[in-house]
């Protein structure tokens, strides 16, 4: 990889379209987790923009979200221009959303801008290191690479896709980490396969964060998803006009529903992965959030947000900002209290929250979803 | 025991002074369990009077309770004359309360009336059989006996005192049960001792229900607690006058704090016990209430009052009239939701609710007690 000429202009695109039932009862259809203050007093969306504030001015922050949440995004990010917040009339998976944003950025910032896609519902404690990696990634992206951030796995997790790294493209960067070519993207594996990945080494979790120049992305879409181009052109032509919402409603739902990983990243030739040891956590369950909130080395203590009295209670995650939760003789229990619903389950069962959500759907309890 | 001449006039005295922390967070200092609808839509106090309605008119129902609860009692029992509701300025255990009521009944109904003392916070499902036993007991009481109702033990419970029965006084009664002399009252035993009682047979739980003529009780007090007589005389003299509350406040707190079991029943010569197989339950813990509420033969099913969705949840007791409780992977769990506090504990730990209450006291959380 040759050294680049100058620091490229970075724009951040934040996909914020998650449905968010995994942190039920806090997350609901109307307020998925990215719009909640589950980790700090800022919402996860706000934390995502806070994290890059020193690198990227609000004018170059873009959000694509479900149209019904666009108002919430504007409310949470008042410094971001309203035009930068794009509402999808319906979810069509990630490829149409990312491709459309690349097409819009081509119009607003030009093809040389580097677009960093950073999901709104992740936690990244090591934010200074993350920014250094982002800056280094932008330089690699400016050379025509689609750069993915690879999370060093902390266990054989079966809930994530994996990235297998190949040859070393650069021994080190300003962030102090190397750049590898991607040998292969791997789907969410079975347990034994994941264990083999960890044994073999050279595998990373795919956190869905990737960085590429607008030109690179546009070329990839024209090559691999050419059928979307006419739709993008119609929408971009209306961008900034009063017709935009109507055109989105007419055109966006006709775009192929497919993921950017499958349709673009896996098919690109020049794909790099940069190891990102940044404490990343997708907060994909209450158990995962408990990992974020627990004080390191004190995992058997109770994590309490709100009010709790415990007798023989250890390793609990308690969220109850209003009412007192009293527990006796319960280890590793999760209690989440909200105005209309309370979840109680052992940490080991927190993935099964979706079964509760399914049951509520089956019972037609729409007001609780 | 000779056959009595005629059915005596029965008055029911209901001690309703319990402090009621054992069903926290539903029971509070301001509303002990006897004033709550924990079992049916009627409060336990109302159920206690409902149970004897066909035997005893409201004019012969008396309640002695903490003075701050007297208003609540009047509200819950509108048919009972206000004069029949006596407020204690402070709790002095059971002997002063029962002795005072006997002295008042001597004035209002005369010495031949039979006084049945029936605590307000017990559950008695077999109410017809209970009334038959009460009627039979009154006949024995009219012969000068202090009659206690003995609950056939269903296990070696260490939370109750035991009554050891002696010689048979009457083979059978109109209620179809015999009458035994009491050989000895036994304090709450150790586990091994309780097991031995069950093995030996002839032991009953002491449920605190006893029946005696006013004359019998008055004589017992004059013999065994003569120092209370002057106090009783002052209070009874003021009964029905505007001075009553003031005299109560001045005199009642000076009476010896002692239990009627210890100071009277254990010292009486003519004490009888009548086996009362009436499904009695003192609802002394959430676990005990769960026993009352569970459908017989379906103890592993969930008992739900209110709203619950469970995944892999069995044998739970859920009380949540407003909010949805969602549980995953929890067996024999108790969840009690109230507007300001939620209790979560396994049934096996429900006795430890008092530790929560103690902790709240230690923290000065008076508003939750």
């Amino acid at each position: 990889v040759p050294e680049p000429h100058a620091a490229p202009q970075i724009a951040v695109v934040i996909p914020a379209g998650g449905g968010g039932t995994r942190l039920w009862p806090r997350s609901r259809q109307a307020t998925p987790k990215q719009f909640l203050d589950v980790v700090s007093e800022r919402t996860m969306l706000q934390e995502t923009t806070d994290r890059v504030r020193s690198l990227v001015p609000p004018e170059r922050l873009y959000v694509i979200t479900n149209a019904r949440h666009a108002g919430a995004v504007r409310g949470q990010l008042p410094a971001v221009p309203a035009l930068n917040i794009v509402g999808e009339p319906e979810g069509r998976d990630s490829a149409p959303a990312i491709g459309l944003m690349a097409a819009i950025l081509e119009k607003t910032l030009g093809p040389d801008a580097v677009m960093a896609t950073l999901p709104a519902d992740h936690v990244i404690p090591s934010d200074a290191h993350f920014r250094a990696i982002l800056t280094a990634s932008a330089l690699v992206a400016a050379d025509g690479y689609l750069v993915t951030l690879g999370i060093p796995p902390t266990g054989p997790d079966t809930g994530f896709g994996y990235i297998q790294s190949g040859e070393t493209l650069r021994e080190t960067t300003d962030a102090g980490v190397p750049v590898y070519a991607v040998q292969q993207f791997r789907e969410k594996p079975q347990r034994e396969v994941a264990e083999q990945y960890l044994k073999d080494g050279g595998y990373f979790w795919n956190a869905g964060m990737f960085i590429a120049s607008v030109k690179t992305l546009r070329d990839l879409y024209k090559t691999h998803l050419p059928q979307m181009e006419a739709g993008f052109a119609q929408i971009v032509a209306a961008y900034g006009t009063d017709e935009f919402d109507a055109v989105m409603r007419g055109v966006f739902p006709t775009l192929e529903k497919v993921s950017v990983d499958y349709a673009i990243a896996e098919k690109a030739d020049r794909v790099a992965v940069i190891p990102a040891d940044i404490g990343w956590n997708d907060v994909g369950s209450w158990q995962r959030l408990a990992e974020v909130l627990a004080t390191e080395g004190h995992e058997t203590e109770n994590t309490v947000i709100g009010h709790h009295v415990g007798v023989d209670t250890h390793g609990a995650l308690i969220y109850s900002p209003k009412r007192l939760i009293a527990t006796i003789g319960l280890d590793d229990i999760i209690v989440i209290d909200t105005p209309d619903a309370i979840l109680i389950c052992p940490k080991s069962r927190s993935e099964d929250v979706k079964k509760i959500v399914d049951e509520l759907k089956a019972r037609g309890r729409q007001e609780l979803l």
Side-chain angles (χ1 to χ4, degrees), chain A residues 31 37 56 60 63 77 85 92 106 115 127 136-137 157 175 188 194 196 216 239 265 268 276 300 309 322:
Chain A
T31 49
D37 53 344
V56 181
R60 293 209 304 272
V63 180
L77 304 178
I85 297 163
R92 302 295 297 167
E106 187 178 42
M115 171 171 150
D127 54 349
S137 301
D157 207 296
K188 292 177 186 176
Q196 191 59 47
T216 300
Y239 183 73
T300 60
V309 169
K322 291 229 162 73

Side-chain angles (χ1 to χ4, degrees), chain A residues 3-18:
Chain A
E3 286 296 324
H5 328 291
Q9 191 178 47
I10 302 175
V12 165
V13 167
I14 302 175

Side-chain angles (χ1 to χ4, degrees), chain A residues 9-176:
Chain A
Q9 191 178 47
I10 302 175
V12 165
V13 167
I14 302 175
T21 56
R22 300 209 284 179
L23 294 190
W24 185 93
R26 279 217 69 200
S27 64
R28 305 289 176 101
Q29 287 174 347
T31 49
K33 75 169 192 264
Q34 57 268 28
F35 304 123
L36 296 176
D37 53 344
V38 287
V39 176
S40 71
E41 288 176 3
R42 301 277 284 169
T43 70
M44 297 190 75
L45 173 65
Q46 289 171 328
E47 288 198 321
T48 304
T49 64
D50 293 350
R51 200 174 288 135
V52 296
R53 184 188 294 147
S54 61
L55 287 182
V56 181
E59 299 74 39
R60 293 209 304 272
L61 294 177
Y62 290 77
V63 180
I64 182 156
T65 188
N66 190 296
R68 65 176 169 168
H69 296 142
V73 173
R74 279 192 293 272
Q76 295 196 0
L77 304 178
V80 172
L83 266 183
N84 292 20
I85 297 163
V86 176
E88 300 170 296
E90 65 174 64
R92 302 295 297 167
D93 211 332
S94 53
I98 303 302
L100 174 62
M101 295 313 290
I104 288 175
L105 290 192
E106 187 178 42
K107 178 174 183 174
T108 58
L109 300 176
D112 294 332
V114 164
M115 171 171 150
T117 300
L118 305 177
D121 53 358
H122 295 172
V123 169
I124 297 175
S126 307
D127 54 349
H129 186 47
F130 169 71
R131 283 189 293 272
I133 287 172
L134 201 58
T135 305
S137 301
L139 292 172
V140 180
D143 273 333
Y145 279 86
L146 177 65
V147 181
T148 59
L149 301 194
I151 309 299
T154 56
D157 207 296
T158 59
F160 309 122
Y162 283 68
I163 302 168
Q164 184 184 8
S165 59
E167 61 169 322
T168 303
L169 297 178
R170 197 177 293 177
E171 288 292 345
T172 188
T173 59
D174 286 347

